[in-house]
Amino acid sequence: MHALGARLVSLGREDEARALVLRWAGSSAGYQADALLRLGERLPPGRRPEKEIKALIEELAPEERCNSIKEHPSASVAILGAEAALRIVEDCNELSGSYVRIVALARLARALPEPMRAEAARRAVLAFEAGGADADALGNLCEAAPWMSPADAARLLSTCLFDASGSPSLAGVFQGWASLTQLAGVLRRAGGEEAVLAASDEVAIAGRWLHKMAISQRDQ
């Protein structure tokens, strides 16, 4: 439905596109806000339904508002404004919404104007720590690594590395959740390319040592 609406907009049939997506959304303020955010991003400035979207967003609970930002970070910044989008996410303080808030902040780090990206990344790391290091949010958080401070990146590494499964293994440290592979961007931000290469070398050395130990035990 959204793809069809976008196609109608590209053909200049904006009224039909709007009617289509709103009919699909029904009476739900959340669905309507979602539909108009998607459609509004396709429209040129001046023809976006900014007032209507803002009114719909106001009807939603804090976590629902935050989820709208999470799902449509670029459209939210373009239509609601950068400051408003960041404020909506910060207003989502419910414990049940910690994942939504972390991911929304991490995605905003890419969508916000450059001067605001570092602040969004900083808040995302803080929210991740406060929310108990939500495993599901880590992938999105890693994508915000380019805008983290080196200190925040280092802290995130110390929070996550070796915690992939509760019982660290060489394979778990090198690949999978909270591994060097997933955290490579964070590691690069914390210590540069040299840190990534050094960590890879250490894993390789450990791997060779374990391989020799396995051969030795097999031969005994």
Side-chain angles (χ1 to χ4, degrees), residues 47 69 111-112 149 163:
R47 296 216 297 273
I69 307 298
L112 287 168
S149 70
D163 193 29

Side-chain angles (χ1 to χ4, degrees), residues 73-144:
S74 297
S76 299
V77 170
I79 295 171
L80 302 175
E83 293 285 355
L86 192 56
R87 185 171 62 252
I88 288 170
V89 174
E90 283 296 279
D91 286 343
C92 180
N93 292 317
E94 291 87 346
L95 183 61
S96 62
S98 60
Y99 165 80
V100 175
R101 185 164 177 258
I102 295 162
V103 175
L105 285 166
R107 291 179 179 176
L108 277 178
R110 184 182 296 274
L112 287 168
E114 189 63 40
M116 299 178 66
R117 291 180 175 183
E119 179 61 18
R122 184 185 72 83
R123 295 185 189 187
V125 173
L126 291 176
F128 182 76
E129 293 172 346
D134 190 316
D136 293 332
L138 183 59
N140 283 277
L141 187 57
C142 288
E143 293 182 8

Side-chain angles (χ1 to χ4, degrees), residues 161-176:
L161 195 57
F162 300 114
D163 193 29
S165 63
S167 55
S169 65
L170 180 65
V173 169
F174 193 66
Q175 61 185 355

